[in-house]
Amino acid sequence: MAASTCRCTTWAAPSGCVSPGAIDNGQRIVPRNPQPLSEAETGWMKAIYTQSLRDTPMNRLGTPEEIAADLAAGW
């Protein structure tokens, strides 16, 4: 996971940013759209998933638990 921190000189307040990439957070309990996806939408979703895996160094989705562990450890 890539993370960066900086100190804001005006207020001397620590600041951080975490950019974990694609996260596997499972299915939504309440779907955004209760209708089945169209053939075009299914193709778009597959393309997005494929691109996310391609652009992720470990070639898999992360988990919420991994993000929480990294944040708790101070990155």
Coordinates of all heavy atoms in Angstrom, one line a residue:
M1 N 0.9 -1.2 0.0 CA 0.0 0.0 0.0 C 0.9 1.2 0.0 O 1.9 1.3 0.7 CB -0.9 0.0 1.2 CG -1.7 1.3 1.4 SD -2.5 1.5 3.0 CE -2.9 -0.1 3.4
A2 N 0.6 2.2 -0.8 CA 1.3 3.4 -0.9 C 0.7 4.4 0.1 O -0.5 4.5 0.2 CB 1.3 4.0 -2.3
A3 N 1.5 5.0 0.9 CA 1.1 6.0 1.9 C 2.1 7.2 1.9 O 3.2 7.0 1.7 CB 0.9 5.4 3.2
S4 N 1.6 8.3 2.2 CA 2.5 9.5 2.4 C 2.0 10.3 3.5 O 0.8 10.4 3.8 CB 2.5 10.3 1.1 OG 1.3 10.9 0.8
T5 N 2.9 11.0 4.1 CA 2.5 11.9 5.2 C 3.3 13.2 5.0 O 4.3 13.2 4.4 CB 2.9 11.4 6.6 OG1 4.3 11.1 6.7 CG2 2.1 10.1 6.9
C6 N 2.8 14.3 5.5 CA 3.5 15.5 5.5 C 3.1 16.4 6.7 O 2.1 16.1 7.3 CB 3.1 16.3 4.2 SG 1.4 16.8 4.1
R7 N 3.9 17.3 7.0 CA 3.6 18.2 8.1 C 3.2 19.6 7.5 O 4.0 20.2 6.7 CB 4.8 18.4 9.0 CG 4.4 19.1 10.3 CD 5.5 18.9 11.3 NE 5.5 17.6 11.9 CZ 4.8 17.1 12.9 NH1 3.9 17.9 13.4 NH2 4.9 15.9 13.3
C8 N 2.1 20.1 7.8 CA 1.6 21.4 7.3 C 2.3 22.5 8.1 O 2.1 22.6 9.3 CB 0.1 21.5 7.4 SG -0.6 23.0 6.7
T9 N 3.2 23.2 7.5 CA 4.0 24.2 8.2 C 3.2 25.4 8.8 O 3.6 25.9 9.8 CB 5.1 24.8 7.3 OG1 4.4 25.4 6.2 CG2 6.0 23.7 6.8
T10 N 2.1 25.7 8.2 CA 1.3 26.8 8.7 C 0.7 26.5 10.1 O 0.8 27.3 11.0 CB 0.1 27.1 7.8 OG1 0.6 27.4 6.5 CG2 -0.7 28.3 8.3
W11 N 0.2 25.3 10.3 CA -0.4 24.9 11.6 C 0.4 23.8 12.3 O 0.0 23.5 13.4 CB -1.8 24.4 11.4 CG -2.7 25.4 10.8 CD1 -3.3 26.5 11.5 CD2 -3.2 25.5 9.5 NE1 -4.0 27.3 10.6 CE2 -4.0 26.7 9.4 CE3 -3.0 24.8 8.3 CZ2 -4.6 27.1 8.2 CZ3 -3.6 25.1 7.2 CH2 -4.4 26.3 7.1
A12 N 1.4 23.3 11.7 CA 2.2 22.2 12.3 C 1.3 21.0 12.7 O 1.6 20.4 13.7 CB 3.0 22.7 13.5
A13 N 0.3 20.7 11.9 CA -0.6 19.6 12.2 C -0.2 18.5 11.2 O -0.1 18.6 10.0 CB -2.0 20.0 11.9
P14 N 0.0 17.3 11.8 CA 0.3 16.1 10.9 C -0.8 15.8 10.0 O -2.0 15.9 10.4 CB 0.6 15.0 11.9 CG 0.0 15.4 13.2 CD 0.0 16.9 13.2
S15 N -0.5 15.3 8.9 CA -1.6 15.0 7.9 C -1.1 13.7 7.1 O 0.1 13.5 6.9 CB -1.8 16.1 6.9 OG -2.6 15.8 5.9
G16 N -2.0 12.9 6.7 CA -1.7 11.7 6.0 C -2.7 11.4 5.0 O -3.8 11.9 4.9
C17 N -2.3 10.5 4.1 CA -3.1 10.0 3.0 C -2.8 8.6 2.7 O -1.7 8.2 2.7 CB -2.8 10.9 1.7 SG -3.7 10.3 0.3
V18 N -3.9 7.8 2.5 CA -3.7 6.4 2.2 C -4.5 6.2 0.9 O -5.6 6.6 0.7 CB -4.3 5.5 3.3 CG1 -4.3 4.0 2.9 CG2 -3.6 5.7 4.6
S19 N -3.8 5.5 -0.1 CA -4.4 5.3 -1.4 C -4.2 3.8 -1.6 O -3.3 3.4 -2.3 CB -3.7 6.1 -2.4 OG -4.3 5.8 -3.7
P20 N -5.1 2.9 -1.1 CA -4.9 1.5 -1.2 C -5.2 0.9 -2.5 O -4.9 -0.3 -2.8 CB -5.9 1.0 -0.1 CG -7.0 2.0 -0.1 CD -6.3 3.3 -0.3
G21 N -5.9 1.6 -3.4 CA -6.3 0.9 -4.7 C -7.6 0.2 -4.5 O -8.5 0.6 -3.7
A22 N -7.9 -0.8 -5.3 CA -9.1 -1.5 -5.4 C -9.3 -2.4 -4.1 O -8.4 -3.1 -3.7 CB -9.2 -2.4 -6.6
I23 N -10.4 -2.3 -3.5 CA -10.7 -3.1 -2.3 C -11.9 -4.0 -2.5 O -12.9 -3.6 -3.0 CB -11.0 -2.1 -1.1 CG1 -9.8 -1.2 -0.8 CG2 -11.4 -2.9 0.2 CD1 -8.6 -1.9 -0.4
D24 N -11.8 -5.2 -2.1 CA -12.9 -6.2 -2.1 C -13.7 -6.0 -0.9 O -13.4 -6.5 0.2 CB -12.3 -7.6 -2.2 CG -13.4 -8.7 -2.3 OD1 -14.6 -8.3 -2.5 OD2 -13.1 -9.8 -2.3
N25 N -14.8 -5.3 -1.0 CA -15.7 -5.1 0.2 C -17.0 -5.9 0.1 O -17.9 -5.6 0.7 CB -15.9 -3.6 0.4 CG -16.5 -2.9 -0.8 OD1 -16.7 -3.6 -1.9 ND2 -16.7 -1.6 -0.8
G26 N -17.0 -6.9 -0.8 CA -18.2 -7.8 -0.9 C -19.3 -7.1 -1.6 O -19.2 -6.0 -2.2
Q27 N -20.4 -7.8 -1.6 CA -21.7 -7.3 -2.2 C -22.3 -6.3 -1.3 O -22.3 -6.5 -0.1 CB -22.6 -8.5 -2.5 CG -22.1 -9.5 -3.5 CD -22.3 -8.9 -5.0 OE1 -22.4 -7.7 -5.2 NE2 -22.2 -9.8 -5.9
R28 N -23.0 -5.4 -1.9 CA -23.8 -4.4 -1.1 C -25.0 -5.1 -0.6 O -25.7 -5.9 -1.3 CB -24.2 -3.3 -2.0 CG -23.1 -2.4 -2.5 CD -23.6 -1.3 -3.5 NE -24.6 -0.5 -2.9 CZ -24.4 0.7 -2.3 NH1 -23.2 1.1 -2.2 NH2 -25.4 1.4 -1.9
I29 N -25.4 -4.8 0.6 CA -26.6 -5.4 1.2 C -27.8 -4.8 0.5 O -28.7 -5.6 0.2 CB -26.7 -5.0 2.7 CG1 -25.5 -5.7 3.5 CG2 -28.0 -5.4 3.3 CD1 -25.4 -5.3 4.9
V30 N -27.8 -3.6 0.2 CA -28.9 -2.9 -0.5 C -28.3 -2.5 -1.9 O -27.5 -1.6 -1.9 CB -29.5 -1.7 0.2 CG1 -30.6 -1.1 -0.7 CG2 -30.0 -2.1 1.5
P31 N -28.7 -3.2 -3.0 CA -28.1 -2.9 -4.2 C -28.4 -1.5 -4.7 O -29.5 -0.9 -4.4 CB -28.6 -3.9 -5.2 CG -29.9 -4.4 -4.5 CD -29.7 -4.3 -3.1
R32 N -27.5 -0.9 -5.4 CA -27.8 0.5 -6.0 C -28.9 0.4 -7.0 O -29.7 1.4 -7.1 CB -26.5 1.0 -6.6 CG -25.4 1.4 -5.7 CD -24.3 2.0 -6.4 NE -23.3 2.4 -5.4 CZ -22.0 2.2 -5.5 NH1 -21.5 1.7 -6.6 NH2 -21.2 2.5 -4.6
N33 N -29.0 -0.7 -7.7 CA -30.0 -0.8 -8.7 C -30.6 -2.2 -8.6 O -29.8 -3.2 -8.9 CB -29.4 -0.6 -10.1 CG -30.5 -0.7 -11.2 OD1 -31.7 -0.9 -10.9 ND2 -30.0 -0.6 -12.4
P34 N -31.8 -2.4 -8.2 CA -32.3 -3.8 -8.0 C -32.5 -4.5 -9.3 O -32.7 -5.7 -9.3 CB -33.6 -3.6 -7.3 CG -34.0 -2.1 -7.6 CD -32.8 -1.4 -7.8
Q35 N -32.5 -3.8 -10.4 CA -32.6 -4.5 -11.8 C -31.3 -5.2 -12.1 O -30.3 -4.7 -11.8 CB -33.0 -3.4 -12.8 CG -34.3 -2.6 -12.5 CD -35.5 -3.5 -12.4 OE1 -35.6 -4.5 -13.1 NE2 -36.3 -3.2 -11.4
P36 N -31.4 -6.3 -12.9 CA -30.2 -6.9 -13.3 C -29.4 -6.0 -14.3 O -30.0 -5.2 -15.0 CB -30.8 -8.2 -14.1 CG -32.2 -8.3 -13.7 CD -32.7 -7.0 -13.2
L37 N -28.1 -6.2 -14.3 CA -27.3 -5.4 -15.2 C -27.5 -5.8 -16.6 O -27.7 -6.9 -17.0 CB -25.8 -5.6 -14.9 CG -25.3 -5.1 -13.5 CD1 -23.9 -5.5 -13.3 CD2 -25.5 -3.6 -13.3
S38 N -27.5 -4.8 -17.5 CA -27.6 -5.1 -18.9 C -26.3 -5.7 -19.4 O -25.3 -5.8 -18.7 CB -27.8 -3.8 -19.7 OG -26.6 -3.0 -19.7
E39 N -26.3 -6.2 -20.6 CA -25.1 -6.8 -21.2 C -24.0 -5.8 -21.3 O -22.8 -6.1 -21.0 CB -25.4 -7.4 -22.6 CG -24.3 -8.2 -23.2 CD -24.8 -8.9 -24.5 OE1 -25.9 -9.4 -24.6 OE2 -23.9 -8.9 -25.4
A40 N -24.3 -4.6 -21.7 CA -23.3 -3.5 -21.7 C -22.7 -3.2 -20.3 O -21.5 -3.1 -20.2 CB -23.8 -2.3 -22.3
E41 N -23.6 -3.1 -19.3 CA -23.1 -2.8 -18.0 C -22.2 -4.0 -17.4 O -21.2 -3.7 -16.8 CB -24.3 -2.6 -17.0 CG -25.0 -1.3 -17.3 CD -26.3 -1.2 -16.6 OE1 -27.0 -2.2 -16.5 OE2 -26.7 -0.1 -16.2
T42 N -22.6 -5.2 -17.7 CA -21.8 -6.3 -17.3 C -20.4 -6.3 -17.9 O -19.4 -6.5 -17.3 CB -22.5 -7.7 -17.7 OG1 -23.8 -7.7 -17.1 CG2 -21.7 -8.9 -17.3
G43 N -20.3 -5.9 -19.2 CA -19.0 -5.7 -19.9 C -18.2 -4.6 -19.3 O -17.0 -4.8 -19.1
W44 N -18.9 -3.5 -18.9 CA -18.1 -2.4 -18.3 C -17.6 -2.8 -16.9 O -16.4 -2.5 -16.6 CB -19.0 -1.2 -18.1 CG -19.6 -0.6 -19.4 CD1 -19.0 -0.7 -20.6 CD2 -20.8 0.1 -19.5 NE1 -19.8 0.0 -21.5 CE2 -20.9 0.5 -20.9 CE3 -21.8 0.5 -18.6 CZ2 -22.0 1.2 -21.4 CZ3 -22.9 1.2 -19.1 CH2 -23.0 1.6 -20.5
M45 N -18.4 -3.5 -16.2 CA -17.9 -4.0 -14.8 C -16.7 -4.9 -14.9 O -15.8 -4.8 -14.2 CB -19.1 -4.6 -14.1 CG -20.2 -3.7 -13.7 SD -19.7 -2.3 -12.6 CE -19.5 -3.2 -11.1
K46 N -16.8 -5.8 -15.9 CA -15.7 -6.8 -16.1 C -14.4 -6.0 -16.5 O -13.3 -6.3 -16.0 CB -16.1 -7.8 -17.2 CG -15.0 -8.9 -17.3 CD -15.5 -10.0 -18.3 CE -14.5 -11.0 -18.4 NZ -14.9 -12.2 -19.2
A47 N -14.6 -5.0 -17.4 CA -13.4 -4.2 -17.8 C -12.8 -3.4 -16.7 O -11.6 -3.3 -16.5 CB -13.8 -3.2 -19.0
I48 N -13.7 -2.9 -15.8 CA -13.2 -2.1 -14.6 C -12.4 -3.0 -13.7 O -11.3 -2.7 -13.2 CB -14.3 -1.4 -13.9 CG1 -14.9 -0.3 -14.8 CG2 -13.9 -0.9 -12.6 CD1 -16.2 0.3 -14.3
Y49 N -13.0 -4.2 -13.5 CA -12.3 -5.2 -12.6 C -11.0 -5.6 -13.2 O -10.0 -5.7 -12.4 CB -13.3 -6.4 -12.4 CG -12.7 -7.5 -11.5 CD1 -12.8 -7.3 -10.1 CD2 -12.1 -8.6 -12.0 CE1 -12.3 -8.3 -9.2 CE2 -11.6 -9.6 -11.1 CZ -11.7 -9.4 -9.8 OH -11.2 -10.3 -8.9
T50 N -10.9 -5.9 -14.4 CA -9.7 -6.3 -15.1 C -8.7 -5.3 -15.0 O -7.5 -5.5 -14.7 CB -10.0 -6.7 -16.6 OG1 -10.9 -7.8 -16.6 CG2 -8.7 -7.2 -17.3
Q51 N -9.1 -4.0 -15.3 CA -8.1 -2.9 -15.2 C -7.6 -2.7 -13.8 O -6.4 -2.5 -13.5 CB -8.8 -1.6 -15.7 CG -7.8 -0.4 -15.6 CD -8.5 0.9 -16.0 OE1 -9.7 0.9 -16.4 NE2 -7.8 2.0 -15.9
S52 N -8.5 -2.8 -12.8 CA -8.1 -2.7 -11.4 C -7.0 -3.7 -11.0 O -6.0 -3.4 -10.3 CB -9.3 -2.8 -10.4 OG -10.2 -1.8 -10.6
L53 N -7.2 -5.0 -11.4 CA -6.2 -6.0 -11.1 C -4.9 -5.7 -11.9 O -3.8 -5.9 -11.3 CB -6.8 -7.4 -11.5 CG -7.9 -8.0 -10.7 CD1 -8.3 -9.4 -11.2 CD2 -7.5 -8.0 -9.2
R54 N -5.0 -5.3 -13.1 CA -3.8 -5.0 -13.9 C -3.0 -3.9 -13.3 O -1.8 -4.0 -13.3 CB -4.2 -4.6 -15.3 CG -3.0 -4.4 -16.2 CD -3.4 -3.6 -17.5 NE -3.7 -2.3 -17.1 CZ -4.7 -1.5 -17.7 NH1 -5.4 -2.0 -18.7 NH2 -4.9 -0.3 -17.3
D55 N -3.7 -2.9 -12.7 CA -3.0 -1.8 -12.1 C -2.6 -2.0 -10.7 O -2.0 -1.0 -10.1 CB -3.9 -0.5 -12.3 CG -4.1 -0.1 -13.7 OD1 -3.3 -0.6 -14.6 OD2 -5.0 0.6 -14.0
T56 N -2.8 -3.1 -10.1 CA -2.5 -3.4 -8.7 C -1.3 -4.3 -8.7 O -1.3 -5.3 -9.3 CB -3.7 -4.1 -8.0 OG1 -4.8 -3.3 -8.1 CG2 -3.4 -4.4 -6.5
P57 N -0.2 -3.9 -8.0 CA 1.0 -4.6 -8.0 C 0.9 -6.1 -7.5 O 1.6 -7.0 -8.1 CB 1.9 -3.9 -7.0 CG 1.4 -2.5 -7.0 CD -0.1 -2.6 -7.2
M58 N 0.0 -6.4 -6.6 CA -0.2 -7.8 -6.2 C -1.2 -8.6 -7.0 O -1.4 -9.7 -6.8 CB -0.6 -7.8 -4.7 CG 0.5 -7.3 -3.8 SD 0.1 -7.4 -2.0 CE 0.2 -9.1 -1.7
N59 N -1.7 -7.9 -8.0 CA -2.7 -8.5 -9.0 C -3.9 -9.2 -8.3 O -4.3 -10.3 -8.6 CB -2.0 -9.5 -9.9 CG -2.8 -9.8 -11.1 OD1 -3.5 -9.0 -11.6 ND2 -2.6 -11.0 -11.6
R60 N -4.3 -8.5 -7.2 CA -5.5 -8.9 -6.5 C -6.1 -7.7 -5.8 O -5.5 -6.7 -5.6 CB -5.2 -10.0 -5.5 CG -4.3 -9.5 -4.3 CD -4.2 -10.6 -3.2 NE -3.4 -10.2 -2.2 CZ -3.8 -9.4 -1.1 NH1 -5.0 -9.0 -1.1 NH2 -2.9 -9.1 -0.2
L61 N -7.4 -7.9 -5.4 CA -8.0 -6.8 -4.6 C -7.5 -6.9 -3.2 O -7.3 -7.9 -2.6 CB -9.5 -6.9 -4.7 CG -10.2 -6.9 -6.0 CD1 -11.7 -7.1 -5.9 CD2 -9.9 -5.6 -6.7
G62 N -7.4 -5.7 -2.5 CA -7.1 -5.6 -1.1 C -8.3 -5.9 -0.3 O -9.4 -6.1 -0.8
T63 N -8.1 -6.0 1.0 CA -9.2 -6.2 1.9 C -9.3 -5.1 2.9 O -8.3 -4.5 3.2 CB -9.1 -7.6 2.7 OG1 -7.9 -7.5 3.6 CG2 -8.9 -8.8 1.8
P64 N -10.5 -4.8 3.5 CA -10.6 -3.8 4.5 C -9.7 -4.1 5.7 O -9.2 -3.2 6.3 CB -12.1 -3.8 4.9 CG -12.8 -4.4 3.7 CD -11.8 -5.4 3.1
E65 N -9.6 -5.4 6.0 CA -8.7 -5.7 7.2 C -7.3 -5.4 7.0 O -6.6 -5.0 7.9 CB -8.8 -7.3 7.5 CG -10.2 -7.7 7.9 CD -11.2 -7.9 6.8 OE1 -10.9 -7.9 5.6 OE2 -12.4 -7.9 7.1
E66 N -6.8 -5.5 5.7 CA -5.4 -5.1 5.4 C -5.2 -3.6 5.6 O -4.2 -3.2 6.2 CB -5.0 -5.5 4.0 CG -4.9 -7.0 3.8 CD -4.8 -7.4 2.3 OE1 -5.3 -6.7 1.5 OE2 -4.0 -8.3 2.1
I67 N -6.2 -2.8 5.2 CA -6.1 -1.4 5.3 C -6.1 -1.0 6.8 O -5.3 -0.2 7.3 CB -7.3 -0.7 4.6 CG1 -7.3 -1.1 3.1 CG2 -7.2 0.8 4.7 CD1 -6.1 -0.9 2.4
A68 N -7.0 -1.6 7.6 CA -7.1 -1.3 9.0 C -5.8 -1.7 9.7 O -5.3 -0.9 10.5 CB -8.3 -2.1 9.6
A69 N -5.2 -2.8 9.3 CA -3.9 -3.2 10.0 C -2.8 -2.3 9.7 O -2.0 -1.9 10.6 CB -3.6 -4.6 9.5
D70 N -2.7 -1.8 8.4 CA -1.7 -0.9 8.1 C -1.9 0.5 8.8 O -0.9 1.1 9.2 CB -1.7 -0.6 6.6 CG -1.0 -1.8 5.8 OD1 -0.4 -2.6 6.4 OD2 -1.2 -1.8 4.6
L71 N -3.1 0.9 8.9 CA -3.3 2.2 9.6 C -3.0 2.1 11.1 O -2.4 3.0 11.6 CB -4.8 2.7 9.4 CG -5.1 3.1 7.9 CD1 -6.6 3.4 7.8 CD2 -4.3 4.3 7.5
A72 N -3.4 1.0 11.6 CA -3.1 0.7 13.1 C -1.6 0.7 13.4 O -1.2 1.1 14.4 CB -3.8 -0.5 13.5
A73 N -0.9 0.1 12.4 CA 0.6 0.0 12.6 C 1.3 1.3 12.3 O 2.5 1.4 12.4 CB 1.1 -1.1 11.6
G74 N 0.6 2.3 11.8 CA 1.2 3.6 11.5 C 1.9 3.6 10.1 O 2.8 4.3 9.9
W75 N 1.4 2.7 9.2 CA 1.9 2.6 7.9 C 3.3 2.0 7.9 O 4.1 2.3 7.2 CB 1.7 3.9 7.0 CG 0.4 4.5 7.1 CD1 -0.8 3.9 7.4 CD2 0.1 5.9 7.0 NE1 -1.8 4.8 7.4 CE2 -1.3 6.1 7.1 CE3 0.9 7.0 6.7 CZ2 -1.9 7.3 7.0 CZ3 0.3 8.2 6.7 CH2 -1.1 8.4 6.8

